[in-house]
Amino acid sequence: MAFNHGALDATLAAAAGDDAALLRELRSAFLDSAAKQLDLLKRARCDGNWHVAAMRLKGLAASFHAEDLLQAAEIALHAAPGEPMAIREVEAVIARFARSRTPDPNRI
């Protein structure tokens, strides 16, 4: 899966405008929520819990126009509960988003 975080960045920038602090806060909130849903996905042991966690992840991705996460959530949605490949895919996408954080202009 090719990584494209441009739509996420554009969505965050549109919401934050020129406020760099708000942009960092929104990005952090997105990543925190994604990590929480990933944790729920990892702990799901039945179809219902797995489905709910995958749908929440998919909804988060759609809300922020995070296409790569949306695709990973869709894979998880159609996988069996606890499917390692689906979990690894979601983990990888979240890790790429985390590494691509907008640099803090106030940090030296």
Side-chain angles (χ1 to χ4, degrees):
M1 176 183 310
F3 180 59
N4 176 11
H5 63 280
L8 171 64
D9 289 339
T11 300
L12 294 174
D18 292 334
D19 190 336
L22 179 57
L23 178 63
R24 286 189 303 276
E25 187 177 332
L26 288 172
R27 184 178 261 299
S28 179
F30 169 80
L31 289 169
D32 289 347
S33 185
K36 180 180 177 186
Q37 297 313 314
L38 172 60
D39 180 58
L40 292 173
L41 199 64
K42 287 179 176 180
R43 292 186 295 124
R45 296 295 174 250
C46 68
D47 290 345
N49 290 343
W50 177 268
H51 184 80
V52 167
M55 285 300 292
R56 286 180 179 171
L57 199 56
K58 186 176 175 181
L60 174 69
S63 296
F64 281 87
H65 300 271
E67 186 63 34
D68 291 342
L69 186 57
L70 185 65
Q71 291 175 6
E74 187 69 28
I75 290 169
L77 191 57
H78 295 288
E83 172 60 45
M85 186 274 311
I87 292 171
R88 282 193 305 269
E89 187 64 37
V90 172
E91 285 175 326
V93 171
I94 293 172
R96 289 192 302 262
F97 279 131
R99 284 193 305 270
S100 71
R101 282 184 182 234
T102 305
D104 183 350
N106 298 322
R107 293 181 96 184
I108 297 175

